[in-house]
Amino acid sequence: MLLWSLLLVLAPVGVQSDWLKINMPQRVYEGDHVDIICMGVTNHDIKTLKYFKDGSQIGTYNGFWIYTISKARFSDSGSYFCKADRKVSLYMDTKEETRSMWLNVSELFPAPGLTASPLPPIEGSSVTLSCNTRLPSDRATTQLRYSFFKDGHTLRSEWTSPKFTISAIWKEDSGNYWCEAMTASHSVLKRSQRSYIDVEKPPPKVRLVNGPHHCEGRVEVEQEGRWGTVCDDGWDMKDVAVVCRELGCGAAKHTPIAMLYPPVVDEALPVLIQVALCNGTEKTLAECDQVEPFDCGHDEDAGAVCEVLPSTS
């Protein structure tokens, strides 16, 4: 018995040697499956194998030589090594220790950025949201899936395209938008910052010019990108009411002739509407039935006077 005790005392302890080796990838990306393998010259002589990260034990194995990280994270980066209790003879054990190896877990892709085009969007227009990501060149073939959200509601989930189009957007669609990008295996998920998208009302297609304020003057309308005047044939308070509403002014007050607001219109500016047939409830002059011009000159241009509200003065 004394002999066996002496042999145990003389056995080597905790020194690095080539008997026990550690094998692992030195660089991986987040979400990767990682196997850290410690093996001896003769594995059947290993009685107990322990894995360490940054000096702290992370696992103990009996007869199983692989420490697995199923989905690598940044926090898994660090220095790894193994220790083993090795059987030397029937009555004597020794300790083996590997050298340390560094595992570097790199970011697969940064948090995406959400962009909208066009910006700012105009009511009724089409808007495309883009979830912008950037993969490293050696992982360019990694398949990503994209989801889009607004104010906590899912707009589209796990779509392979990084773009999502809203065919027609309205003022009530204003809000906080964001997107998520994830790998097809769901091993990596990244979320963009929230972006507030403010949907603007389209600019009025009518204006009152040469008056004392923007709620009074000669009536001009825009059609297909060009501006022109409105003939005063049949021009009445119903028509003025619609103009006032479209401009955000107050109640309709008068239907003056445009000659009261000099200078006279340049002849190059066309007359675009002969008669506006509004019922007075339309939101815009363009919604009213109209008669195209046929014999109206600028001496018959229509004017309008609206009440000036405090917010529009």
Side-chain angles (χ1 to χ4, degrees):
M1 191 66 181
L2 178 60
L3 176 60
W4 304 129
S5 298
L6 181 60
L7 289 174
L8 288 173
V9 170
L10 294 176
V13 294
V15 294
Q16 294 183 11
S17 70
D18 290 333
W19 192 92
L20 185 67
K21 295 184 178 181
I22 184 171
N23 183 33
M24 56 186 285
Q26 291 182 281
R27 181 181 178 87
V28 299
Y29 288 100
E30 55 182 337
D32 284 352
H33 178 99
V34 179
D35 286 333
I36 301 174
I37 304 173
C38 284
M39 300 183 67
V41 175
T42 53
N43 284 336
H44 63 269
D45 288 332
I46 298 177
K47 298 177 67 177
T48 302
L49 181 65
K50 298 178 181 179
Y51 284 82
F52 294 81
K53 174 181 178 288
D54 297 332
S56 300
Q57 184 176 328
I58 55 175
T60 301
Y61 299 92
N62 294 300
F64 189 66
W65 321 120
I66 302 177
Y67 178 79
T68 298
I69 303 173
S70 58
K71 295 178 180 179
R73 300 174 298 174
F74 291 120
S75 58
D76 292 316
S77 297
S79 177
Y80 290 79
F81 63 94
C82 295
K83 292 181 180 181
D85 292 326
R86 174 168 69 98
K87 181 175 68 176
V88 177
S89 66
L90 183 61
Y91 300 103
M92 186 175 70
D93 294 344
T94 187
K95 296 184 182 296
E96 301 286 353
E97 181 177 329
T98 69
R99 63 186 179 88
S100 295
M101 287 193 69
W102 184 266
L103 175 67
N104 182 28
V105 181
S106 298
E107 186 177 42
L108 180 59
F109 60 94
L114 179 73
T115 58
S117 180
L119 196 67
I122 304 299
E123 269 199 316
S125 66
S126 172
V127 176
T128 298
L129 305 178
S130 298
C131 196
N132 305 306
T133 56
R134 185 180 69 256
L135 287 164
S137 58
D138 60 336
R139 294 296 180 96
T141 59
T142 300
Q143 186 179 29
L144 298 179
R145 295 181 178 273
Y146 304 88
S147 301
F148 293 85
F149 305 87
K150 174 190 177 288
D151 294 334
H153 301 289
T154 302
L155 300 175
R156 173 165 286 172
S157 180
E158 295 192 35
W159 191 248
T160 55
S161 170
K163 297 181 181 295
F164 173 67
T165 298
I166 302 172
S167 57
I169 196 166
W170 305 100
K171 186 64 178 178
E172 56 268 27
D173 295 320
S174 297
N176 288 301
Y177 289 77
W178 70 93
C179 67
E180 291 180 351
M182 70 174 67
T183 54
S185 63
H186 294 76
S187 59
V188 181
L189 171 67
K190 297 293 181 70
R191 180 178 291 119
S192 73
Q193 291 185 339
R194 299 185 180 211
S195 298
Y196 186 82
I197 296 178
D198 187 14
V199 183
E200 297 186 352
K201 289 186 174 295
K205 291 183 177 292
V206 63
R207 64 191 180 191
L208 300 178
V209 299
N210 294 345
H213 47 74
H214 85 283
C215 291
E216 178 180 352
R218 181 177 64 241
V219 180
E220 294 185 359
V221 295
E222 186 267 324
Q223 293 181 354
E224 299 179 352
R226 64 173 183 164
W227 286 89
T229 61
V230 178
C231 188
D232 64 2
D233 289 359
W235 187 253
D236 59 21
M237 291 295 289
K238 292 181 180 179
D239 305 320
V240 175
V242 175
V243 171
C244 297
R245 184 177 300 114
E246 185 171 358
L247 291 175
C249 300
K253 298 179 68 175
H254 300 295
T255 60
I257 60 172
M259 298 292 287
L260 294 175
Y261 306 103
V264 178
V265 179
D266 189 307
E267 288 300 323
L269 194 71
V271 177
L272 295 178
I273 300 175
Q274 180 84 26
V275 183
L277 302 171
C278 301
N279 60 32
T281 61
E282 295 89 349
K283 293 182 178 179
T284 67
L285 195 62
E287 295 177 20
C288 302
D289 291 334
Q290 299 174 4
V291 176
E292 294 183 358
F294 53 88
D295 67 350
C296 192
H298 286 308
D299 57 336
E300 298 178 78
D301 286 339
V305 178
C306 309
E307 180 185 6
V308 180
L309 299 178
S311 60
T312 62
S313 58

